[in-house]
Amino acid sequence: MTWHDVQVTAEKAGTISNRTDATARTVIECAADAIVAFGTDQTVMLWNPAAERMFGWTAAEVVGLEPPIIPEELKAEHNAVLERVRSGGQISFATRRIRKDRSVIDLRIDTSALIERGGLGGLSGSSPRASIDRGGLGLSGSSPRASTDGVGEVIGWVNVCHQTGEDDVARHYMAERARVVRRLGDVVADMNAQRDLESVLDRIAASLRELTSADAGGFVIIEDDTLRLVSTAGLPDRLRGRTATLSTSLVGELMGSGKTVMMATGESGGFDDLIWSALPGLHTIALSLSHVAGKPYGALYALYSRRKLSHVELELLELLAGHAGVALTNAMAFEEVVRQRAHERAVIDGSADGIAVLDEAGLVRQWNPAAHRITGMAALDAIGKPPSFPLPEPGATLTHKLPNGRWLDVLCTALADGGELVIDFRDVTSAKELEEAKDLFLATTSHELRTPITVVQGFASTLASRWDQFADSERRAAVRTIAERAGSLGRLVEQLLLGSRAGADQLPVSNGPFDLGAVLRGAVTAFQALSDKHIVVADIAADLPTASGDTMATDIIVGQLLENAFKYSPDGGTVTVRARVTGAWIEVTVEDEGIGIADGDHERIFDRFFQGEAGDRRRFGGVGIGLFIVRRLAQAQNGEVTANSLASGGTAMRLRLRVADDAAPAAC
């Protein structure tokens, strides 16, 4: 073949190629079916006039952009189809697409891969076969099977869209119903899995758009005659929390109708006065009631822009609202359980009693703060182990003493729904000590009363039966003894009465300015003559100011402190009474050289019925309420009394009373 022949052949081939491309373009433009081609970036490469007529967008509006025709909920389906045909073959499926006016149309789409070749070849996918080369997009009639010879490269896809007939619509409707039912089941399961009420409400609003293809939506709850917007989807966040009047709202109209779902359009009156008008082009509102505990709790709104919804979508809205009521009921019940448990936990943690919960094996599962305080055992150390004290039978109580000296009352209760036990135990150490002290008080008081009564009774009987046999001096001595013992009885009874009044905060105290120095000096003089073993020394400032308090109450206090100083220094020694001004206070101390106070008893000696020297309580006598009365009398005068041990041995009792206002020095 000559070079001229080669040139002629090439020119003829080029002419044929150009004619083929022109023919292909003419076929595409004249096709009755919409033909859309996508690149690998899924932007539109080809949009024929039939596509313009079917979808409403011109080629200039969509070429080079992602196709606007695919509903949001079907994008995953679209991507899956493209991937399926990437390696060759064709898929024909029924689906839905969106028109420019936002209406939805049912279609059957044939999808094939678009393969680039080096020459005139092409990719077959449908009949006629779609192909493309570097010269342009064309059509050629050949085998309906896609080429898989590995020569070309996939550079996109071709969709041929056919409007479906009645049979196809019916099949598509049934398939779509099945898909929606499955999706509804997934959404309901997801809603019911939420436990937080706010999360449930947000999930309901999001599910509304997904299932009904609504442009926006929200959920309002009913509060008396007020509606409150609590969740939104597709609307500005600023609307959340907005309120409206129930009686004049669509929800009120729906409740008055006795129905559970309704639809309203803006074609007549419009929605300009509603908060939903924030959705541009709002055209249709559909709403359905959600019930909780048999009463309307709220309403679910579906909002559509520039279009109406189908009866299927309205039915879905009603179904979703019903399921939303169930999900809300579950969430509210869960929150109530959480609140109840938190309340119970707060009660347990705030209880003054120790509370423990034991499992079936008798091991601690819960251990409240009071249990830690009472036993000294922290929760981390107690949990997983048996309790450190014996347990009574369920329903019974026992008293047990811990190694740390505390007494417990332990109550055991079995839970009805299992083998767990609830142990309630309280610290009854103080009650035990008080009980023991009362027993000792009774024994001591009986002894203190019996001795003088026996003496008085004996001397009186003797005098009555042998009066004439005694000399006058003997009779006088017997009468003095009777008088002394009667005086002791009177003082003991007076102390008991005073202790009773102190315990009931009914002490006869009348506060005012008084001469404390005179009271102290008189007490020192009176007690100096009562013992030949003790020396009473007064160290009282001459310029001691008047004190604020009660003269008689202070005299009782000082007398009791001096009596104790004598009693607890049985070998005698010096007892010193000092008085000094310290700021706004006058401090009075009574110091002795006696046995002192045992460690840990410096506060306990002021308890009722407590006595020191526990090993020999009868050594010093008394009923154990003297210092209890002293402290109560001091407090009644707005003062205080404390006890300290001296380094040299003995005890220092300190009484503090306030300086009277009229005796206080002027401020500088």
Side-chain angles (χ1 to χ4, degrees):
M1 178 178 293
T2 66
W3 174 249
H4 175 74
D5 294 333
V6 172
Q7 286 182 313
V8 171
T9 302
E11 289 174 357
K12 290 181 178 180
T15 302
I16 293 172
S17 176
N18 291 335
R19 288 177 179 175
T20 302
D21 289 344
T23 301
R25 284 193 292 271
T26 302
V27 170
I28 291 172
E29 291 176 358
C30 295
D33 293 325
I35 300 175
V36 181
F38 306 99
T40 53
D41 59 357
Q42 296 197 23
T43 60
V44 176
M45 299 169 55
L46 174 69
W47 187 270
N48 74 341
E52 293 184 356
R53 292 191 298 272
M54 178 176 288
F55 299 115
W57 284 281
T58 65
E61 291 177 304
V62 296
V63 171
L65 303 175
E66 291 189 3
I69 62 176
I70 304 170
E72 186 68 29
E73 70 273 13
L74 295 179
K75 284 186 177 181
E77 176 191 71
H78 170 74
N79 294 332
V81 169
L82 299 185
E83 286 300 317
R84 179 78 177 273
V85 301
R86 177 183 286 274
S87 59
Q90 175 186 341
I91 290 181
S92 180
F93 64 101
T95 186
R96 293 188 303 174
R97 291 294 183 259
I98 302 173
R99 291 174 50 83
K100 188 175 182 180
D101 63 2
R102 307 305 295 172
S103 62
V104 178
I105 56 176
D106 295 306
L107 300 175
R108 176 166 294 280
I109 299 178
D110 299 326
T111 302
S112 301
L114 191 62
I115 297 178
E116 181 185 43
R117 299 187 183 278
L120 289 175
L123 173 114
S124 64
S126 60
S127 183
R129 179 165 57 97
S131 66
I132 187 170
D133 61 15
R134 296 191 184 274
L137 183 65
L139 291 176
S140 63
S142 183
S143 168
R145 182 178 60 84
S147 173
T148 58
D149 56 10
V151 175
E153 176 186 357
V154 175
I155 62 170
W157 297 268
V158 174
N159 281 358
V160 180
C161 307
H162 319 276
Q163 281 196 280
T164 57
E166 293 183 1
D167 292 342
D168 288 335
V169 171
R171 285 193 296 271
H172 174 65
Y173 174 76
M174 295 303 295
E176 183 68 8
R177 291 276 293 189
R179 184 192 69 81
V180 169
V181 168
R182 288 194 300 272
R183 187 59 192 139
L184 178 62
D186 294 340
V187 167
V188 169
D190 188 24
M191 283 194 306
N192 287 324
Q194 305 293 328
R195 290 293 177 262
D196 178 66
L197 183 59
E198 185 175 349
S199 299
V200 171
L201 291 169
D202 288 341
R203 187 69 185 92
I204 291 170
S207 302
L208 166 71
R209 296 186 70 195
E210 179 180 356
L211 289 174
T212 66
S213 302
D215 296 295
F219 192 89
V220 296
I221 62 173
I222 301 170
E223 299 172 333
D224 297 326
D225 192 39
T226 300
L227 295 178
R228 182 162 57 90
L229 182 60
V230 293
S231 65
T232 62
L235 291 169
D237 287 338
R238 59 182 171 78
L239 297 182
R240 191 186 294 260
R242 292 278 295 273
T243 59
T245 303
L246 171 63
S247 57
T248 58
S249 68
L250 292 175
V251 177
E253 182 180 341
L254 175 59
M255 293 173 63
S257 70
K259 301 177 182 178
T260 58
V261 64
M262 68 176 290
M263 181 177 68
T265 67
E267 295 173 347
S268 55
F271 299 128
D272 293 340
D273 59 334
L274 300 179
I275 59 174
W276 309 112
S277 60
L279 177 66
L282 177 62
H283 180 277
T284 301
I285 292 180
L287 63 153
S288 186
L289 292 175
S290 288
H291 292 76
V292 172
K295 296 181 179 179
Y297 176 79
L300 191 60
Y301 277 85
L303 312 177
Y304 296 86
S305 177
R306 293 179 292 274
R307 74 179 182 92
K308 296 181 180 180
L309 73 164
S310 68
H311 71 280
V312 175
E313 291 165 334
L314 193 63
E315 181 181 348
L316 278 171
L317 176 64
E318 186 174 13
L319 287 172
L320 184 60
H323 287 294
V326 175
L328 289 169
T329 300
N330 293 339
M332 294 168 69
F334 179 78
E335 287 194 349
E336 180 60 30
V337 170
V338 171
R339 282 194 296 270
Q340 184 65 26
R341 288 184 177 178
H343 175 73
E344 293 172 356
R345 184 75 259 173
V347 171
I348 291 174
D349 288 347
S351 173
D353 287 2
I355 297 177
V357 178
L358 310 185
D359 60 17
E360 295 179 359
L363 304 180
V364 175
R365 286 290 170 259
Q366 292 187 39
W367 190 258
N368 75 336
H372 179 192
R373 290 194 302 271
I374 293 172
T375 64
M377 182 178 293
L380 289 177
D381 299 326
I383 290 176
K385 301 174 184 177
S388 59
F389 45 83
L391 303 179
E393 292 296 321
T397 304
L398 67 77
T399 302
H400 174 74
K401 187 175 184 180
L402 295 175
N404 62 9
R406 290 179 179 268
W407 284 92
L408 302 181
D409 268 355
V410 184
L411 172 65
C412 179
T413 303
L415 296 181
D417 57 351
E420 292 184 326
L421 298 176
V422 176
I423 310 302
D424 185 296
F425 51 97
R426 63 182 56 183
D427 185 352
V428 293
T429 305
S430 298
K432 268 287 186 182
E433 291 177 348
L434 182 61
E435 183 180 346
E436 293 177 355
K438 286 181 177 179
D439 291 341
L440 178 62
F441 167 75
L442 291 175
T444 302
T445 304
S446 298
H447 180 273
E448 293 291 327
L449 290 172
R450 186 181 298 113
T451 301
I453 289 175
T454 300
V455 172
V456 170
Q457 187 177 25
F459 272 91
S461 297
T462 300
L463 287 175
S465 61
R466 301 173 58 189
W467 178 268
D468 295 334
Q469 299 177 17
F470 286 111
D472 186 61
S473 59
E474 292 175 326
R475 288 195 293 267
R476 289 181 180 275
V479 171
R480 278 197 301 271
T481 300
I482 292 173
E484 289 174 0
R485 297 298 179 173
S488 297
L489 281 174
R491 287 192 295 274
L492 178 59
V493 171
E494 185 64 31
Q495 190 178 45
L496 292 175
L497 290 174
L498 196 57
S500 175
R501 292 172 180 170
D505 293 327
Q506 296 178 351
L507 290 169
V509 173
S510 179
N511 293 326
F514 72 100
D515 189 351
L516 176 59
V519 173
L520 297 177
R521 294 185 187 93
V524 168
T525 301
F527 272 82
Q528 182 64 69
L530 296 181
S531 173
D532 54 4
K533 292 184 181 181
H534 299 86
I535 299 173
V536 183
V537 176
D539 182 8
I540 302 168
D543 58 347
L544 194 69
T546 56
S548 175
D550 182 84
T551 303
M552 181 177 296
T554 304
D555 186 55
I556 293 173
I557 292 173
V558 175
Q560 183 65 54
L561 296 182
L562 285 169
E563 183 179 330
N564 278 13
F566 281 15
K567 181 191 298 186
Y568 291 103
S569 54
D571 297 330
T574 301
V575 176
T576 305
V577 178
R578 291 190 173 90
R580 293 288 187 274
V581 176
T582 305
W585 297 87
I586 302 176
E587 288 191 356
V588 178
T589 58
V590 177
E591 300 175 1
D592 63 54
E593 299 174 343
I595 62 174
I597 301 173
D599 291 340
D601 285 351
H602 290 83
E603 275 298 310
R604 296 183 68 197
I605 62 174
F606 295 101
D607 292 344
R608 187 160 38 178
F609 312 134
F610 179 83
Q611 289 179 300
E613 284 292 288
D616 185 8
R617 291 179 182 265
R618 294 297 345 123
R619 179 180 176 188
F620 299 107
V623 294
I625 61 172
L627 291 180
F628 169 76
I629 295 172
V630 163
R631 171 160 282 184
R632 289 304 182 92
L633 286 173
Q635 292 171 344
Q637 298 178 85
N638 300 315
E640 59 184 30
V641 62
T642 56
N644 299 96
S645 295
L646 298 174
S648 58
T651 303
M653 305 295 295
R654 180 174 288 106
L655 167 67
R656 300 180 75 211
L657 295 175
R658 290 190 175 275
V659 176
D661 291 339
D662 59 355
C668 297

